[in-house]
Amino acid sequence: MLGPQCCENPPVLNPLSGSGHVEKLGGLDVYVSGSPDSNKCVLLVSDIYGYEAPNLRALADKVAASGFYVVVPDYFYGDPYDPSHQDRSVPVWIKDHGPDKGFEDTKPVLEAIKNKGITAIGAAGMCWGGKVVVELSKEELIQAAVLLHPTYVTVDDIKDVKVPIAILGAEDDFLTPPALVKQFEEILASKPEVSSYVKIFPNVSHGWTTRYDINDPEAVKAAEEAHKEMLDWFVTYIK
């Protein structure tokens, strides 16, 4: 389930942020960054605040600079979670925007990406997006996965993962606590046919990879360490 930590440090959304641009792909508005001539793509699946979050777009641009074509879909159709709408709490909002719907919405996006000549796709999901990415990995619709402080992901989900997967958890996370991440690690260790990497980052909280204060050097450093782990995973497995 989603909880208070999913809502902490909400970003100031900016539709003009990033060095990429917005276009239609597979029926969704998407932020894209990087060369469309690349044959490698990384799909970034946002948290509940959606694809206009500046830190998320900055991460997309960073991944693109390593040679990937990066796609960040607007899964919420212009309706990301807004904490100022007190009459529409997360449990109410999520009824319109469940990760199961996000998973289905991803399929035509992936087809559209492949139609551009891209032959290898990885996906990373933060919080809400972690569940979408784990579902993609269960059906082998992608070639590699990274989960960053995921929400909704269960032990049974991890048992069914079929592609190389990295899980980056936070020491302070009530939604996917370290004990659960350790269970994920044990399950993956029993699946030698699936390459895996699991790490719990110390002294950080749920959401630290994208909802950090850019003016806080320690927060930026912690986020960048996770970004590097994610990027290294994709460089290794998205060929």
Side-chain angles (χ1 to χ4, degrees), residues 3-239:
Q5 281 188 319
C6 278
C7 309
E8 292 176 352
N9 305 317
V12 177
L13 303 183
N14 181 356
L16 302 178
S17 59
S19 59
H21 68 276
V22 174
E23 63 180 65
K24 278 283 190 195
L25 200 62
L28 296 183
D29 286 336
V30 300
Y31 175 80
V32 297
S33 188
S35 172
D37 296 325
S38 175
N39 67 341
K40 304 178 295 183
C41 174
V42 169
L43 182 79
L44 295 183
V45 186
S46 73
D47 61 17
I48 60 177
Y49 291 108
Y51 86 137
E52 292 181 352
N55 287 357
L56 179 61
R57 290 192 175 184
L59 177 57
D61 295 341
K62 182 190 296 187
V63 175
S66 292
F68 294 96
Y69 182 66
V70 184
V71 175
V72 190
D74 175 17
Y75 285 101
F76 310 133
Y77 296 85
D79 182 39
Y81 175 67
D82 184 346
S84 70
H85 292 173
Q86 296 182 3
D87 59 339
R88 197 171 182 224
S89 62
V90 172
V92 175
W93 177 87
I94 202 72
K95 290 178 181 177
D96 295 323
H97 302 296
D100 52 341
K101 185 175 186 298
F103 168 60
E104 293 301 328
D105 284 346
T106 304
K107 293 177 181 178
V109 173
L110 293 177
E111 287 305 310
I113 290 170
K114 292 175 185 175
N115 288 340
K116 290 179 176 286
I118 287 166
T119 56
I121 303 172
M126 303 82 178
C127 187
W128 179 95
K131 180 66 169 181
V132 175
V133 171
V134 83
E135 293 296 333
L136 296 172
S137 69
K138 286 157 63 175
E139 293 200 13
E140 296 183 90
L141 296 176
I142 53 176
Q143 281 69 58
V146 179
L147 310 184
L148 305 99
H149 41 87
T151 307
Y152 291 119
V153 176
T154 67
V155 164
D156 285 339
D157 286 330
I158 300 301
K159 288 178 180 177
D160 290 337
V161 165
K162 295 182 177 66
V163 303
I165 186 168
I167 303 175
L168 309 181
E171 182 179 45
D172 177 18
D173 193 331
F174 296 112
L175 298 154
T176 303
L180 181 56
V181 175
K182 286 291 187 184
Q183 283 185 269
F184 294 166
E185 184 176 33
E186 291 167 4
I187 291 164
L188 291 167
S190 71
K191 294 165 62 78
E193 72 280 7
V194 175
S195 297
S196 62
Y197 174 76
V198 179
K199 180 175 180 178
I200 297 169
F201 284 72
N203 307 313
V204 297
S205 301
H206 180 89
W208 94 95
T209 65
T210 49
R211 296 207 302 274
Y212 56 89
D213 180 353
I214 61 172
N215 297 310
D216 181 341
E218 288 301 313
V220 171
K221 180 181 177 183
E224 288 180 344
E225 288 174 0
H227 298 165
K228 183 179 185 304
E229 299 268 19
M230 180 192 78
L231 187 54
D232 287 349
W233 192 255
F234 288 137
V235 167
T236 300
Y237 290 102
I238 303 299
K239 302 291 188 181

